[in-house]
């Protein structure tokens, strides 16, 4: 909402500058977002008329113009698309200085002399429009100094009006707030009041009567349609509205003044002698003022004459009944429609007008008559004519007045004040509320223009803001802590994230949306649960309408982004939500759960002088995954091969625990990487956070530090390649007996001498007894058992050197 | 002051000459130790010069400090050389070149938005707030209706919404958790709710369609706006540093009344007015207010029995303010050149 200060002064006096007023209004609840200072004064800028505009010989987008600046003719090169002969423009002549600090010199532009500049609004400091040159009123005399455009000499505040305060969508409402802030009186503009005897020429009929519906129609005869006076045009310009004609300008003026939208019909275009407010009938059509043919239906409230709709109630008038230059008699409408009906109608038709904006937030039904008299006053003043007949004012079910009681104890309890009832009454009276102290509180009769005040709590807020929030102390200790409820899940997620950071991974935060095509790109099977997606009905971008069921696509996109921007060695992770549609959930909502995805790609270590650069491989990722789970204390079983369509099965591993799969990792399949435009190997870990939580140790119990030394034995084994390490490991565990404490694979060795299909694996075994120091022969017996088992079951032999 | 700086420079030069000359005549380890104690020892002459630095103003101190540091490293280097000479070292150079960089390691780090969120949560946890999280795909009834947004009301236009179907949406705020929590437990309640929220808005440098919020809710028998202001004031001093104050500007949210926008003293200019705060001296950091009686009723609490405050703030916005980040799109882009700065 724009608030031109000179206009505001018509309704209230204030002796502060614009900045102070902006601050005081903001602090009392009318948030001022900007203060537009009046336009600067221009030196060396003149009104000019374009005599001729021709193509620049050396530049497609430039024109060379001849411009008359009052007896003198200038040649000016201009780049604006809207320059044309006959236009009245603002010309910055040589020597002029523009508000941005630009100084105009005589120059050559692509070989053509230019003796000045034809200015856009932005170059003149008149706003942000730089799309073309500013087109001036053709009545201006060329050569005259440029003095701005109508309204540009005005200081304007820009206010954010919240939906609860439609009364402030008119300047009188804002003036009321100013009056409350400074304790000054409100000034009312003059209204028409004459007695007329003739009966109303048009009868108002209300079909579909609801509470508050009101429609006043008045005929104004013999007007002269033409341009409105300069003062009115200037005021509309300060609202950034183009003048149309004096009748329409008055309706707009009254809208900004009072916040009550009104409409003027050409009375001659009203067929029959009645106006009906009713729901549209299915199939009815109306061409509205914006030239669009609209299909109507019974959800839309219309104004109709005897033959059909002439306007969309509260939204926009029809073309047929619009005011024309030839209009002699005006039919003035001032009405109150139910807010939600206007809202659903305009939403259905996808239009938003100054009128519907106000109606859907609520207008003042009780002020309809006053606004009609005010509009009549201005119409007669500006367009001539006369009122000879009575109006018809249909208001069958007036809104009941709202009376509230405010308990001062309740207000003080909420605000933290110790105000008395009389003080509260005084604060409320400053807002033009009728407030009287009464039994431990205040009785309030809510004025009709403040129907947002519906309950006691609304009055508490009014007391608080007029009293001033600065009066609330802030140096009081915050309230003492309550017993807290631990959030184990949040704590675990935090611990998980911290552990990954400790392992050298960088946390990323990606979009909750994935691309529609991501399940295909991940090669998910048709019955994969991650195809049960949740879709948004109204996405920003059509392809991004799907909530992610996996973190993988967006994390891979981050990898791609960074590789493309020069960072090829990456360790990244995300712990975040995925969303899977479920049938028969208790509230019909999808299942939301957290997953962990970590990726490693590029060099194994950051580049340094002490090591040669090596590429990361599966075991870098797997080692980090092992460290993560060991740190968390998760008791897990690892095996080769993880059936995940986006991983290369041959280079993958699966992690499971006693309650099922926890997740797995591996090399991302080549086709998948290609689908995401990544051309280096990426190793990826994908874990189910819920499964991790299920496998967490409840409590770790101290086992005692071993008192006896361990016996260490190294085995060098020749292993057929078809035998996976995990089989060897299992066999050693199986034959090692209770004294075998640990197995560490310390070497994997390739040697042609062993034969093509064999390699050597070095194992370091530790044996320990909790009761005594082990002797060699005890350990030897276990080693023999292990070697026998390996040989018999797997064909694995000791290496002979 | 100028003479004093000149005098100090003179003393530096003299000390350099004298100390180095004396060092030349040192013949054994005993004499070397005596030299060390006199010139570069803890109470030696070099220390005394450093102490005298505190008498200079902040304009001169850095330059003089640098000159003193140069003297210090010269003396120490010469000392080392004499020491190795006395020890009988060949002087063939050090065994390792300790000036080479170490073996580099991967340096992990948290995403800046989550770092800031973690810090905020820690502050509120110390104030006795528990952490709760809830669904992002939410019922319309929790996101709007129970929060006192009447159906078909313009207040709903304040938050452009992504809809799944007629009754399910992507939450536009973390506030629906207020209702979920109150329906699940009796008062008192003191929770913070972190989480992602969604707005169907065109994305630009300052608007994101998905971002994180932190919601706070405190309900008890006699909670007032004083408690709100004290809590928020404590919070901003912990997150942005002491000396900040907060102010309330009246505002409108359907689910609180009174409702306020909370400003804090601009941290860049301490309230004098600068580019960061648009010359205001104040920066808007959150919306807040007293829980609306209709919300209590929708949650099964008796508004005559309990009162409460609620607040909500955008994590990215606060991170941008605190760290001078100028484009919200950087948060989801995850360029490591961005991530690694924090």
């Amino acid at each position: 909402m724009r608030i031109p200060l000179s206009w505001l002064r018509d309704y209230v006096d204030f002796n502060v500058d614009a900045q102070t007023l902006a601050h005081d209004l903001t602090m009392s609840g009318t948030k001022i977002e900007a203060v537009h200072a009046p336009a600067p004064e221009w030196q060396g800028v003149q009104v000019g008329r374009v005599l001729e505009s021709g193509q620049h010989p050396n530049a497609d987008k430039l024109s060379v113009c001849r411009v008359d600046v009052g007896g003198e003719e200038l040649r000016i090169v201009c780049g604006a698309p809207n320059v044309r002969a006959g236009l009245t423009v603002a010309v910055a002549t040589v020597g002029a200085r523009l508000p941005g600090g630009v100084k105009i010199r005589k120059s050559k532009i692509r070989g053509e002399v230019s003796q000045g500049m034809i200015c856009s609004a932005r170059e003149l400091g008149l706003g942000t429009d730089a799309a073309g040159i500013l087109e001036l009123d053709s009545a201006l005399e060329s050569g005259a100094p440029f003095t701005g455009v109508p309204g540009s000499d005005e200081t304007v505040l820009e206010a954010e009006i919240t939906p609860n305060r439609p009364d402030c969508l008119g300047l009188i409402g804002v003036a009321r707030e100013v009056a409350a802030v400074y304790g000054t009186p409100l000034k009312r503009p003059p209204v028409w009041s004459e007695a007329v005897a003739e009966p109303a020429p048009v009868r108002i009929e209300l079909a579909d009567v609801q509470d508050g519906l009101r429609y006043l129609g008045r005929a104004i005869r013999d007007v002269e349609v033409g341009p409105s006076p300069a003062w009115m045009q200037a005021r509309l310009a300060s609202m950034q509205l183009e003048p149309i004609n004096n009748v329409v300008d008055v309706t707009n003026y009254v809208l900004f003044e009072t916040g009550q939208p009104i409409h003027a019909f050409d009375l001659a275009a009203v067929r029959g002698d009645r106006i009906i407010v009713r729901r549209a009938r299915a199939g009815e059509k109306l061409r509205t003022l914006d030239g669009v043919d609209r299909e109507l239906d019974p959800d839309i409230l219309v104004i109709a004459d005897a033959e059909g709709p002439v306007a969309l109630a509260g939204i926009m008038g029809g073309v047929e009944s619009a005011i024309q230059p030839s209009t002699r008699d005006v039919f003035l409408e001032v009405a109150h429609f139910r807010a939600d009906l206007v809202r659903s109608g305009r939403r259905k038709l996808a239009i938003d007008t100054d009128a519907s904006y106000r109606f859907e937030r609520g207008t003042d039904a009780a002020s309809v008559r006053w606004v009609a008299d005010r509009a009549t006053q201005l119409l007669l003043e500006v367009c001539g004519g006369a009122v000879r007949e009575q109006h018809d004012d249909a208001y069958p079910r007036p809104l009941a007045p709202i009376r509230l009681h405010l308990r001062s104890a309740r207000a003080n309890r909420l605000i933290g004040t110790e105000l008395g009832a009389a003080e509260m009454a005084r604060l409320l009276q400053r807002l033009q509320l009728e407030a009287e102290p009464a039994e431990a509180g205040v009785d309030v009769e809510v004025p009709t223009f403040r129907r947002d005040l519906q309950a006691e709590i609304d009055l508490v807020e009014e007391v608080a803001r007029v009293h001033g929030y600065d009066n609330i102390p802030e140096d009081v200790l915050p309230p003492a802590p309550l017993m807290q409820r631990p959030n184990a899940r949040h704590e675990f997620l935090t611990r998980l994230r911290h552990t990954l950071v400790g392992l050298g991974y960088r946390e990323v935060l990606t979009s909750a949306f994935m691309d529609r095509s991501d399940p295909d790109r991940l090669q998910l099977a048709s019955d994969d649960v991650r195809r049960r997606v949740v879709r948004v009905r109204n996405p920003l971008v059509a392809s991004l309408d799907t909530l992610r069921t996996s973190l993988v696509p967006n994390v891979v996109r981050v990898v791609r982004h960074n590789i493309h921007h020069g960072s090829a060695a990456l360790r990244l992770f995300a712990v975040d939500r995925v969303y899977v549609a479920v049938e028969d959930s208790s509230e019909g909502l999808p299942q939301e759960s957290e997953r962990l995805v970590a990726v490693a790609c590029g060099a194994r270590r950051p580049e340094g002088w002490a090591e040669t650069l090596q590429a990361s491989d599966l075991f870098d990722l797997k080692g980090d995954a092992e460290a993560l789970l060991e740190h968390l204390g998760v008791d897990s079983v690892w095996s080769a091969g993880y059936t995940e369509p986006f991983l290369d099965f041959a280079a993958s591993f699966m992690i499971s625990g006693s309650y099922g799969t926890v997740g797995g990792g591996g090399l991302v399949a080549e086709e998948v990487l290609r689908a995401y435009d990544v051309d280096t190997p990426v190793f990826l870990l994908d874990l189910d956070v819920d499964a991790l939580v299920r496998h967490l140790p409840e409590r770790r119990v101290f086992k005692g530090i071993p008192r006896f030394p361990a016996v260490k034995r190294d085995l060098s084994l020749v292993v057929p390649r078809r035998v996976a390490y995990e089989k060897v490991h299992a066999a050693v565990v199986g034959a090692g007996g209770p004294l075998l404490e640990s197995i560490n694979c310390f070497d994997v060795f390739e040697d042609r001498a062993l034969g093509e299909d064999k390699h050597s694996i070095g194992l370091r075994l530790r044996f320990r007894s909790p009761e005594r120091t082990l002797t060699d022969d005890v350990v030897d017996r276990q080693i023999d058992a292990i070697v026998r088992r390996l040989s018999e079951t797997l064909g694995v032999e000791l290496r002979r050197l | 002051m100028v003479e004093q700086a000149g005098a100090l420079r003179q003393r530096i030069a003299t000390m350099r000459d004298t100390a180095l000359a004396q060092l030349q005549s040192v013949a054994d380890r005993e004499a070397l130790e005596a030299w060390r104690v006199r010139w570069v020892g803890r109470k030696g002459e070099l220390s005394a010069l450093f102490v005298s630095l505190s008498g200079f103003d902040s304009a001169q101190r850095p330059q003089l400090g640098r000159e003193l540091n140069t003297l210090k490293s010269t003396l120490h280097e010469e000392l080392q050389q004499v020491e190795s000479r006395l020890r009988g070292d060949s002087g063939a150079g050090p065994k390792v070149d300790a000036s080479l960089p170490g073996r580099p390691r991967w340096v992990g780090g948290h995403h800046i938005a989550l770092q800031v969120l973690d810090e905020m949560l820690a502050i509120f946890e110390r104030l006795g707030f528990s952490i709760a999280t809830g669904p992002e795909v939410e019922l319309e009834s929790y996101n709007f209706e129970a929060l006192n947004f009447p159906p078909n009301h313009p207040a709903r236009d304040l938050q452009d919404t992504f809809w799944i179907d007629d009754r399910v949406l992507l939450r536009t705020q973390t506030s629906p958790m207020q209702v979920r929590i109150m329906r699940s437990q009796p008062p008192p309640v003191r929770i913070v709710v972190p989480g992602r929220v969604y707005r169907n808005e065109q994305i630009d440098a300052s608007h994101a369609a998905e971002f994180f919020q932190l919601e706070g809710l405190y309900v008890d028998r006699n909670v007032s706006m004083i408690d709100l202001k004290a809590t928020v004031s404590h919070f901003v001093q912990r997150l942005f540093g002491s000396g900040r104050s907060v102010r309330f500007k009246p505002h409108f949210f359907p689910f609180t009344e009174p409702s306020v926008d909370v400003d804090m003293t601009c941290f860049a200019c301490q309230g004098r007015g600068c580019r960061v705060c648009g010359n205001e001296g104040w920066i808007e950091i959150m919306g807040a207010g007293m829980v609306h009686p209709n919300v209590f009723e929708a949650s099964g609490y008796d508004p005559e029995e309990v009162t409460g405050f609620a607040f909500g703030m955008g994590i990215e916005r606060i991170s941008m303010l605190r760290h001078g980040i100028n484009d919200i799109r950087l948060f989801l882009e995850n360029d490591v050149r961005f991530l690694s700065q924090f």
Side-chain angles (χ1 to χ4, degrees):
Chain A
M1 168 78 184
R2 291 171 65 86
I3 307 169
L5 293 191
S6 72
W7 193 349
L8 181 66
R9 284 182 200 277
D10 280 6
Y11 316 114
V12 67
D13 290 320
F14 47 92
N15 292 318
V16 294
D17 63 23
Q19 293 296 342
T20 311
L21 179 66
H23 174 265
D24 293 345
L25 278 173
T26 297
M27 295 310 290
S28 74
T30 311
K31 187 174 180 184
I32 304 301
E33 295 183 307
V35 178
H36 302 292
E41 286 187 19
W42 299 270
Q43 288 186 346
V45 182
Q46 286 172 288
V47 175
R49 196 154 282 114
V50 180
L51 300 174
E52 190 193 324
S53 161
Q55 177 66 46
H56 188 293
N58 306 320
D60 287 349
K61 290 186 175 166
L62 296 180
S63 326
V64 182
C65 308
R66 287 196 299 120
V67 185
D68 169 33
V69 287
E72 198 188 347
E73 204 182 292
L74 302 176
R75 268 176 79 79
I76 298 178
V77 177
C78 180
N82 62 331
V83 68
R84 59 190 184 273
L87 216 56
T88 304
V89 295
V91 180
T93 51
V94 172
R97 222 175 240 290
L98 294 179
V102 178
K103 198 174 172 199
I104 303 300
R105 292 190 183 82
K106 185 170 166 177
S107 61
K108 263 193 182 177
I109 299 171
R110 296 255 187 141
E112 289 291 313
V113 171
S114 188
Q115 301 167 288
M117 179 167 89
I118 307 178
C119 303
S120 70
R122 189 163 75 181
E123 285 154 348
L124 292 164
L126 289 173
T128 54
D129 188 1
I133 52 173
L134 183 66
E135 302 187 16
L136 300 181
D137 184 350
S138 58
L140 290 172
E141 207 168 307
S142 25
F146 174 70
T147 55
V149 293
S152 68
D153 56 347
E154 177 72 273
T155 303
V156 180
L157 306 188
E158 187 104 40
E160 177 197 347
I161 305 296
T162 51
N164 60 325
R165 292 303 303 275
D167 59 308
C168 288
L169 293 170
L171 290 170
I172 292 177
V174 176
R176 234 181 252 125
E177 286 293 313
V178 176
V181 170
Y182 299 118
T184 46
L186 195 66
K187 298 188 282 184
R188 290 281 191 154
V191 295
W192 174 85
S193 60
E194 272 176 44
V196 284
E198 298 287 312
V202 177
R203 228 171 54 248
I204 309 300
E205 278 180 33
L206 305 181
D208 193 34
V209 173
Q210 314 106 17
D211 285 346
L213 178 63
R214 182 173 185 181
Y215 195 101
L216 183 154
R218 171 182 286 159
I220 293 149
R221 304 281 183 180
D222 300 323
V223 300
E224 200 166 310
V225 177
S228 54
W231 65 267
M232 182 171 277
Q233 292 198 4
R235 284 195 161 175
L236 292 179
S238 67
M239 289 296 190
Q240 296 182 324
L241 209 67
E242 293 283 326
I244 295 171
N245 61 50
N246 50 6
V247 176
V248 175
D249 288 357
V250 165
T251 63
N252 285 325
Y253 186 95
V254 170
L255 175 141
F256 290 126
E257 179 177 64
T258 65
Q260 165 73 51
I262 64 179
H263 188 65
F265 297 91
D266 183 342
L267 184 56
V270 174
R271 299 155 293 189
D273 60 355
R274 52 199 181 115
I275 281 287
I276 309 129
V277 183
R278 61 166 169 85
R279 301 296 185 101
R281 301 187 182 110
E284 279 184 323
K285 287 192 176 107
L286 178 70
R287 175 171 293 185
T288 44
L289 279 171
D290 52 5
V292 178
D293 288 312
R294 312 235 174 225
E295 296 261 356
L296 309 179
D297 66 43
D299 287 343
I300 298 161
L301 195 67
V302 293
I303 311 302
D305 63 11
E307 292 180 29
V310 291
L312 304 173
I315 304 173
M316 193 182 273
V319 163
E320 295 294 324
S321 56
I323 302 295
Q324 306 289 333
S326 59
T327 300
R328 287 200 58 80
D329 299 327
V330 169
F331 180 70
L332 175 71
E333 161 199 302
V334 185
H336 179 257
F337 304 112
R338 220 175 69 189
D340 59 338
L341 262 179
V342 173
R343 180 174 162 83
S344 42
R346 74 106 185 135
R347 277 163 65 98
K348 190 149 200 174
L349 296 167
I351 2 181
D352 201 353
T353 63
D354 280 331
S356 66
Y357 191 84
R358 284 162 175 79
F359 277 122
E360 69 178 86
R361 281 161 177 74
T363 54
D364 179 7
S367 75
V368 160
R369 171 67 193 276
W370 184 85
V371 172
D373 291 344
R374 171 61 180 157
T376 306
Q377 160 84 24
L378 283 168
L379 281 170
L380 297 182
E381 185 183 326
V382 166
C383 322
V387 179
R388 300 198 193 97
E389 299 120 318
Q390 293 178 338
H391 58 248
D392 194 3
D393 181 1
Y395 190 23
R397 276 160 54 184
L399 294 175
I402 302 173
R403 290 191 186 83
L404 299 173
H405 179 70
L406 171 68
R407 293 164 293 169
S408 35
R410 170 120 178 113
N412 284 326
R413 179 179 169 207
L414 281 159
I415 312 169
T417 44
E418 286 168 8
L419 300 172
E423 176 66 6
M424 289 188 191
R426 201 183 57 73
L427 293 171
L428 293 172
Q429 283 157 7
R430 280 169 65 174
L431 293 165
Q432 322 264 316
L433 309 189
E434 284 177 35
E436 293 296 330
E439 3 160 7
V442 185
D443 280 336
V444 176
E445 169 123 22
V446 177
T448 54
F449 54 79
R450 284 299 306 275
R451 291 197 77 89
D452 60 303
L453 303 178
Q454 296 271 346
E456 182 186 31
I457 190 68
D458 301 321
L459 296 177
V460 172
E461 178 165 62
E462 297 304 285
V463 167
R465 75 181 175 97
V466 180
H467 175 62
Y469 290 121
D470 283 348
N471 295 320
I472 297 173
E474 68 174 282
D475 53 354
V476 178
L477 277 181
L482 297 177
M483 194 84 94
Q484 272 167 285
R485 291 165 185 252
N487 185 329
R489 181 164 187 93
H490 179 81
E491 281 165 25
F492 176 69
L493 291 173
T494 306
R495 185 160 157 234
L496 198 55
R497 294 169 46 231
H498 281 275
T499 309
L500 280 153
V501 167
L503 288 168
Y505 284 71
R506 221 169 255 301
E507 183 170 40
V508 299
L509 189 55
T510 61
S511 170
F513 291 98
M514 63 178 182
D515 198 278
R516 241 171 200 269
S517 66
D518 280 334
D520 290 337
R521 291 199 224 192
L522 293 183
Q523 316 193 46
L524 301 183
S526 59
D527 59 347
D528 194 300
V529 68
R530 288 164 294 189
R531 284 193 183 270
R532 291 195 212 144
V533 296
V534 178
R535 286 230 161 87
V536 169
R537 212 163 54 181
N538 53 335
L540 269 177
V541 185
S543 65
L544 286 175
D545 65 348
T546 309
L547 288 178
R548 64 182 174 203
T549 52
S550 164
L551 302 182
V552 172
N554 286 344
V555 171
V556 172
R557 285 190 178 95
V558 172
V559 169
R560 176 186 58 192
H561 170 90
N562 282 296
I563 290 177
H564 286 192
H565 288 83
S567 310
L570 298 165
R571 294 287 185 280
L572 305 172
F573 81 95
V575 174
D576 214 336
R577 282 197 191 183
V578 296
Y579 316 81
V580 175
V582 273
E583 287 163 30
D584 316 324
S585 68
S586 64
E587 291 179 311
L589 294 178
Q591 184 196 329
E592 298 182 26
S593 55
E594 273 90 14
R595 293 197 72 91
L596 178 161
V597 163
V599 288
C601 70
R604 169 166 298 157
R605 296 271 296 237
E607 192 170 351
W609 58 272
E611 284 161 301
T612 48
L613 272 182
Q614 278 183 306
S616 304
D617 64 21
L618 178 67
F619 301 102
D620 291 304
L621 178 81
K622 194 175 180 188
D624 290 336
E626 285 163 353
L628 172 68
L629 265 67
E630 183 180 341
H631 175 82
L632 297 173
V634 171
D635 188 17
S636 53
V637 179
W638 299 61
S639 53
Y642 186 40
T643 316
E644 220 4 326
F646 53 83
L647 294 180
D648 179 347
F649 183 81
S652 68
F653 58 87
M654 180 169 81
I655 308 166
S656 20
S658 29
Y659 304 102
T661 310
V662 175
L667 175 63
V668 179
E670 216 180 315
E671 313 85 77
V672 175
L673 287 178
R674 214 178 302 124
Y676 288 100
D677 191 20
V678 175
D679 53 11
T680 56
V682 175
F683 299 92
L684 182 144
L685 178 72
D686 184 5
L687 301 181
D688 178 348
V689 170
D690 286 305
L692 274 177
V693 170
R694 277 196 296 277
H695 290 100
L696 286 181
E698 213 163 290
R699 183 169 68 99
R700 300 197 196 195
V701 180
F702 178 60
K703 291 195 194 80
I705 308 283
R707 288 166 54 212
F708 298 98
V711 175
K712 207 164 67 182
R713 289 293 169 85
D714 287 356
L715 293 181
S716 189
L717 304 173
V718 177
V719 182
R721 282 179 185 277
R722 61 176 165 77
V723 177
Y725 169 77
E726 63 194 26
K727 294 228 169 82
V728 176
H729 188 98
V732 174
V733 170
L739 300 177
L740 176 60
E741 186 184 67
S742 68
I743 307 164
N744 183 22
C745 174
F746 67 91
D747 190 28
V748 177
F749 182 69
E750 311 282 335
D751 187 351
R752 284 272 175 86
L754 300 172
E756 276 294 300
D757 56 349
K758 288 180 178 160
H759 60 171
S760 160
I761 288 180
L763 294 183
R764 180 157 297 162
L765 311 183
R766 278 169 191 275
F767 294 87
R768 196 197 301 269
S769 159
E771 282 141 18
R772 59 184 182 278
T773 301
L774 289 178
T775 55
D776 274 343
D777 58 319
V778 174
V779 175
D780 287 344
R781 250 178 283 142
Q782 285 314 139
I783 291 289
D784 287 346
I786 289 169
V787 170
R788 216 165 33 242
R789 175 80 63 93
L790 285 171
S791 169
E792 285 166 5
T793 60
L794 300 173
V796 170
E797 304 297 337
L798 271 185
R799 189 170 179 200
R800 315 272 168 211
L801 293 168
Chain B
M1 246 355 179
V2 176
E3 285 89 352
Q4 282 185 25
L8 181 62
R9 287 206 172 88
Q10 187 60 49
R11 282 171 70 195
I12 293 174
T14 314
M15 177 166 168
R16 179 192 172 89
D17 295 345
T18 322
L20 290 180
Q22 281 192 14
L23 189 60
Q24 291 312 310
S25 56
V26 164
D28 54 32
R29 303 195 65 161
E30 216 168 302
L32 183 65
E33 177 62 8
W35 183 92
R36 190 190 66 77
V37 169
R38 174 172 173 199
W39 296 105
V40 297
R42 202 161 52 83
K43 291 180 176 168
E45 305 217 1
L46 184 64
S47 295
L49 287 192
F50 270 105
V51 168
S52 72
L53 263 189
S54 60
F56 290 88
D57 62 32
S58 57
Q60 291 178 312
R61 221 182 298 134
Q63 178 55 32
L64 291 171
R66 268 193 293 277
E67 290 173 30
L68 269 179
N69 277 325
T70 311
L71 174 61
K72 182 179 173 181
S73 51
T74 310
L75 295 183
H76 276 280
E77 271 166 32
E78 295 294 325
L79 172 67
Q80 288 300 327
Q81 288 207 353
V82 175
E83 209 169 21
S84 4
R85 196 187 65 212
L86 292 178
R87 225 188 284 126
D89 285 353
S90 65
K95 292 192 185 90
V96 294
D97 180 357
S99 68
L100 277 170
R103 291 194 174 85
R105 305 191 55 112
W106 294 118
V107 180
H110 288 290
H111 191 283
I112 180 60
L114 299 178
Q115 273 182 49
V116 170
L117 176 58
D118 285 348
E119 261 185 75
M120 290 171 153
L121 290 173
I123 295 168
F124 284 112
E125 280 201 276
R126 286 193 290 267
L127 288 177
F129 284 78
S130 304
I131 297 170
T133 51
E136 293 170 23
V137 185
E138 183 55 286
L139 295 175
E140 181 274 347
S141 57
Y142 282 108
N143 194 76
F144 286 132
E145 208 172 313
L147 290 172
N148 199 35
F149 286 77
N152 198 22
H153 190 273
R156 297 195 175 202
D157 295 349
L158 295 172
Q159 300 175 351
D160 291 321
T161 309
F162 286 114
W163 291 92
I164 306 295
D165 57 41
D166 288 342
R167 46 179 282 285
V168 180
L169 45 71
L170 300 185
R171 68 177 175 193
T172 57
Q173 48 199 1
T174 37
S175 314
M177 269 304 282
Q178 290 185 20
V179 183
R180 285 185 178 272
I181 288 284
M182 288 193 277
R183 284 188 186 173
S184 73
Q185 69 170 83
V189 171
R190 201 186 299 192
I191 51 155
V192 279
V193 182
R196 194 184 263 108
V197 300
Y198 302 82
R199 302 282 169 89
N200 194 346
E201 281 185 0
Q202 282 308 317
I203 297 166
D204 61 29
S206 47
H207 294 91
E210 44 185 319
F211 54 95
F212 279 74
Q213 267 191 352
L214 184 67
E215 181 89 9
L217 174 70
Y218 173 34
V219 180
D220 206 338
R221 287 193 171 275
N222 280 302
V223 180
S224 78
M225 294 190 86
I226 294 184
D227 300 312
L228 171 60
K229 207 168 187 181
T231 302
V232 172
S233 174
H234 176 83
F235 165 73
V236 300
Q237 309 219 20
R238 294 304 295 264
L239 196 70
F240 287 91
S242 54
R244 321 263 160 249
S245 85
V246 295
R247 74 171 186 187
F248 286 172
K249 291 180 308 197
H251 199 57
F252 168 77
F253 304 107
F255 43 101
T256 50
E257 189 156 18
S259 297
V260 294
D261 266 343
V262 181
D263 286 356
M264 78 168 177
T265 325
C266 176
F267 55 84
C269 64
Q270 323 302 333
R272 285 187 298 271
C274 67
R275 220 162 47 87
V276 174
C277 55
N279 259 326
E280 275 275 306
W282 295 92
I283 293 182
E284 216 169 280
I285 52 160
M286 65 170 85
M290 303 304 292
V291 178
H292 198 287
N294 292 354
V295 176
F296 279 139
E297 269 163 23
S299 308
Y301 281 18
D302 180 354
E304 291 294 320
E305 284 284 307
V306 293
T307 57
F309 68 67
F311 58 80
M313 59 191 134
I315 308 305
E316 285 85 347
R317 183 181 151 68
I318 301 254
S319 311
M320 290 169 82
L321 285 171
R322 200 174 75 159
H323 297 280
I325 300 165
N326 59 7
D327 192 331
I328 199 168
R329 290 169 293 199
L330 290 165
F331 288 91
L332 287 186
E333 190 180 64
N334 297 296
D335 192 307
V336 293
R337 293 166 299 178
F338 169 73
L339 298 177
S340 61
Q341 291 184 32
F342 305 100

